[in-house]
Amino acid sequence: MTPDPAVTVVEQETFLVPDFTVKDLLSSIPAHCFKRSALRSSSYMFWDFFVIGCAYKATTFADTYIDPSAIDLPHPALYTAARVSLWALYSFWVGLFGTGLWIVAHECGHQAFSESKALNNTVGWVLHSALGVPYHSWRISHGKHHASTGHVSLEQVYVPPTRSEVGLKPIDASRDEDLLGSRVSDEVKKELWEAVGESPLANAWGVASYLLLGWPLYLLFNSAGQRRYPKWTNHFNPNAVIFAPHQFRQIILSDIGCALWLGAIIASIYTWDFVTVFRVYLAPYLWVNHWLILITFLQHTDPFLPHYRAPEFTFPRGALCTVDRSLLGDLGSVMGWIGAHSTHGISETHILHHVSSKIPHYHAECCVEEDSDCGGMKHLDGGAVGWAEMYRVYRECKFIEDEGDVVFFKNGYGLAPMRPVFNDASASDSGIEMMGEK
């Protein structure tokens, strides 16, 4: 048969839907990886503080030499440029290790910091409050995220928009549009692109908006969160649908922590000035939020990651519905090491973290090294975490179909690079190819 020149057909890769049990996943992990040490965990926290302190001391010391009495520059404006560059480097560096502190608090929320729940929650509350995060509120919603990762109607964050939610017409097979995204007519491609396709500038703006505002918008307005939640759902309302009645006091305690944080910033601006507070704390704080969104978006969003609906969702499938990436690895091996070191490998060992979130980061690293396939689990290694990769993923992941129990993102033309297959004919059909069938 002669191919229709008015139809685009892509050769899709297959994703074998995993059928592991929870026991399969946990039994593949060495026993020592589950051991938690308050002393060892604290050492990473204090190291982060030490590096941040050293960065501040080094920067303030170098700043004193950016002066005509110490250095002769050909133009007065160069002194300002040098000082801005110095503090920009400071904010970038401190932002990385500030993200490390964020990760330590995140481990406290998972009870991975130590064997003591009281110690975990105390350290976590202090660290997250110092970074403007409602500790218990986010801990609770994040726990739900771990329980339902990749579940279209239960996932808490980075929930993919469906065809109908982005305003597209229902799929029409008579117009050569394939449910799995392997083929689409040029006529439909044009319609889809006009509806959801974006120019390079628009995609860049979308990425920048995500990185700058994504985190506070999620906390305040449930942006990119679960769409079945009522409008104005947020992490500061103890009566929000996210929380159970018995968690009321924990949400209030989280709100108090954020109120103290905001009060401390205002008091600091009053004591010193806005410019000083911005360059010392607020600029690194914005970097922390940036890294948080960049890392987590790329952990859970990619054209080759599946999303499940209820008939095919299981915890193991959800746990494996994430990807390991190298933070700053696109800038070379040295920067890749710095990225992993400063953020405690949260991006590089994320699949294992979803298999068992109580494993401390320092054991996650050695566990992956000792048992790289984790008893047969396929590690999905994506491109390095960076702006270019986020732009690519943002551009390629526009919507999922309203139908299907295992679905993949489609791009602005309605095409998907992956299709799901089962290795067991006993699995429900749902229009999914069975491995071995013709």
Side-chain angles (χ1 to χ4, degrees):
M1 180 183 293
T2 304
D4 187 343
V7 175
T8 300
V9 179
V10 296
E11 185 175 347
Q12 295 176 311
E13 295 184 45
T14 58
F15 177 86
L16 181 59
V17 178
D19 54 6
F20 296 107
T21 65
V22 174
K23 182 179 179 180
D24 290 335
L25 299 184
L26 296 181
S27 62
S28 68
I29 302 172
H32 71 86
C33 290
F34 294 95
K35 294 181 180 179
R36 299 164 290 170
S37 166
L39 181 62
R40 187 169 179 181
S41 295
S42 297
S43 69
Y44 289 93
M45 176 181 66
F46 289 125
W47 172 251
D48 290 335
F49 278 122
F50 175 75
V51 172
I52 290 171
C54 289
Y56 174 75
K57 285 293 186 181
T59 303
T60 53
F61 177 78
D63 187 78
T64 61
Y65 286 91
I66 305 177
D67 186 271
S69 62
I71 185 173
D72 185 24
L73 296 177
H75 193 279
L78 292 177
Y79 292 99
T80 300
R83 184 167 283 113
V84 169
S85 299
L86 174 66
W87 283 97
L89 179 61
Y90 160 86
S91 67
F92 173 83
W93 188 257
V94 171
L96 276 173
F97 283 87
T99 304
L101 289 172
W102 205 106
I103 299 305
V104 172
H106 156 261
E107 292 205 338
C108 290
H110 283 297
Q111 306 304 313
F113 183 83
S114 75
E115 302 285 344
S116 168
K117 185 175 182 180
L119 179 61
N120 293 338
N121 287 337
T122 300
V123 173
W125 183 86
V126 171
L127 290 180
H128 262 171
S129 296
L131 292 168
V133 180
Y135 171 71
H136 287 292
S137 308
W138 183 79
R139 175 184 62 80
I140 292 166
S141 69
H142 187 63
K144 292 184 176 182
H145 156 68
H146 271 259
S148 54
T149 306
H151 192 302
V152 175
S153 58
L154 295 178
E155 173 65 283
Q156 300 296 300
V157 68
Y158 301 126
V159 181
T162 64
R163 168 182 284 266
S164 59
E165 287 171 341
V166 298
L168 297 175
K169 297 177 183 178
I171 194 167
D172 186 354
S174 67
R175 302 175 68 199
D176 283 307
E177 187 177 6
D178 178 36
L179 180 66
L180 294 179
S182 64
R183 60 184 285 126
V184 62
S185 68
D186 289 350
E187 178 187 5
V188 174
K189 278 176 61 179
K190 182 179 179 181
E191 291 179 5
L192 292 175
W193 183 259
E194 290 176 350
V196 299
E198 295 179 319
S199 68
L201 183 60
N203 282 319
W205 174 254
V207 169
S209 300
Y210 241 123
L211 294 176
L212 289 172
L213 301 173
W215 176 241
L217 289 179
Y218 170 65
L219 293 178
L220 290 167
F221 305 110
N222 192 42
S223 177
Q226 181 49 244
R227 292 178 180 82
R228 66 184 176 85
Y229 287 164
K231 192 176 182 180
W232 308 118
T233 295
N234 67 78
H235 280 71
F236 299 94
N237 179 5
N239 295 312
V241 68
I242 305 173
F243 313 118
H246 71 274
Q247 296 167 335
F248 187 94
R249 292 185 179 181
Q250 296 177 61
I251 311 310
I252 295 298
L253 182 61
S254 302
D255 292 349
I256 291 173
C258 289
L260 292 173
W261 166 77
L262 186 60
I265 291 176
I266 295 172
S268 297
I269 293 173
Y270 180 80
T271 302
W272 291 284
D273 56 69
F274 176 78
V275 173
T276 299
V277 175
F278 179 82
R279 68 183 182 182
V280 172
Y281 176 82
L282 292 178
Y285 165 76
L286 292 176
W287 272 111
V288 171
N289 290 353
H290 157 277
W291 292 123
L292 175 63
I293 294 297
L294 183 65
I295 291 169
T296 56
F297 177 85
L298 290 176
Q299 286 169 338
H300 298 286
T301 313
D302 198 279
F304 66 71
L305 281 179
H307 297 270
Y308 299 96
R309 291 193 167 92
E312 295 300 343
F313 177 83
T314 63
F315 173 80
R317 287 176 179 174
L320 300 179
C321 183
T322 182
V323 59
D324 290 341
R325 298 179 185 268
S326 172
L327 178 59
L328 298 179
D330 56 337
L331 300 179
S333 59
V334 174
M335 290 302 294
W337 179 85
I338 291 174
H341 174 76
S342 59
T343 59
H344 307 308
I346 190 62
S347 186
E348 290 76 8
T349 60
H350 199 65
I351 297 175
L352 181 66
H353 173 65
H354 268 265
V355 171
S356 179
S357 58
K358 278 192 175 183
I359 295 177
H361 71 271
Y362 43 84
H363 287 325
E365 296 173 2
C366 69
C367 176
V368 170
E369 290 173 359
E370 291 177 13
D371 194 5
S372 60
D373 68 350
C374 282
M377 287 184 282
K378 180 182 179 182
H379 274 229
L380 299 178
D381 294 309
V385 177
W387 292 343
E389 180 67 359
M390 181 159 183
Y391 177 86
R392 180 193 70 82
V393 172
Y394 184 87
R395 181 192 63 203
E396 294 297 321
C397 297
K398 293 303 181 185
F399 68 95
I400 61 172
E401 290 295 344
D402 293 294
E403 306 171 53
D405 294 331
V406 184
V407 292
F408 290 85
F409 265 114
K410 289 184 174 181
N411 62 20
Y413 293 117
L415 297 169
M418 303 289 291
R419 74 177 191 274
V421 297
F422 283 108
N423 64 1
D424 184 356
S426 67
S428 65
D429 190 338
S430 305
I432 298 173
E433 176 185 348
M434 301 302 175
M435 185 66 76
E437 292 189 359
K438 299 195 177 180

